[in-house]
Amino acid sequence: MRTTQFAELQLPRIAKLLGFEKEPKWLIIRFAIFISLSLNKEIDTNEKIDFTEGKSYNLDVITGKGKVDTQGDQADYTDFIALLVANSENNKVNTLRGLELKLEQHCERGFTILASSLNDNSDIFEWIKQEFL
């Protein structure tokens, strides 16, 4: 899965607002993806996203593909996240590459929503409460 330069610039800002500065990037990326998925609105697949200055992350980092936690319990959320994507868009996710493409789009939209809705002094938890509860 790829991110854009914009998303990479937003990562530390959103992490700070959440109080997650020392947490791994995948946590913030998942947060942005889930913000986008919460809209229950299809992604505009005609919109071109420029990934040239971004980064690439394997699915094992973003969804935990193939991972187990320190107690040996399953920590692979790939199928669950694919189900959320498919449900949100009312469309099947048939391949891992198809999932990655959707996650890229949702990641970008999620960071766009967060960047346009929050400033550096925002109470992100109050924003979540107002927007989603």
Side-chain angles (χ1 to χ4, degrees):
M1 187 197 113
R2 300 166 297 170
T3 59
T4 63
Q5 180 181 29
F6 171 76
E8 290 297 323
L9 290 171
Q10 295 305 309
L11 271 163
R13 182 174 164 259
I14 302 304
K16 183 177 180 185
L17 289 172
L18 287 166
F20 293 168
E21 297 97 333
K22 295 181 182 179
E23 300 299 327
K25 286 183 177 183
W26 62 260
L27 190 66
I28 312 308
I29 292 171
R30 278 189 197 173
F31 181 74
I33 290 168
F34 294 147
I35 289 292
S36 175
L37 286 170
S38 71
L39 296 179
N40 283 327
K41 180 179 171 188
E42 281 190 44
I43 292 284
D44 180 5
T45 56
N46 294 324
E47 185 178 322
K48 176 89 170 101
I49 301 174
D50 181 9
F51 296 104
T52 56
E53 297 293 322
K55 293 190 178 179
S56 292
Y57 298 91
N58 293 326
L59 277 184
D60 65 326
V61 173
I62 301 301
T63 67
K65 181 162 177 42
K67 299 264 181 155
V68 292
D69 66 16
T70 55
Q71 286 79 33
D73 294 329
Q74 179 268 358
D76 182 343
Y77 300 102
T78 306
D79 291 342
F80 176 70
I81 292 172
L83 182 63
L84 290 175
V85 170
N87 187 52
S88 171
E89 298 188 4
N90 208 17
N91 199 353
K92 291 182 181 178
V93 178
N94 296 323
T95 65
L96 287 177
R97 183 61 189 139
L99 175 61
E100 284 182 305
L101 293 171
K102 291 293 184 182
L103 292 177
E104 290 170 351
Q105 294 167 331
H106 281 288
C107 179
E108 186 67 13
R109 182 168 76 175
F111 277 116
T112 300
I113 292 165
L114 291 165
S116 66
S117 302
L118 302 166
N119 61 45
D120 291 339
N121 298 321
S122 293
D123 180 344
I124 196 166
F125 301 105
E126 185 61 33
W127 176 78
I128 292 169
K129 183 177 157 187
Q130 290 177 1
E131 293 293 318
F132 300 104
L133 298 179

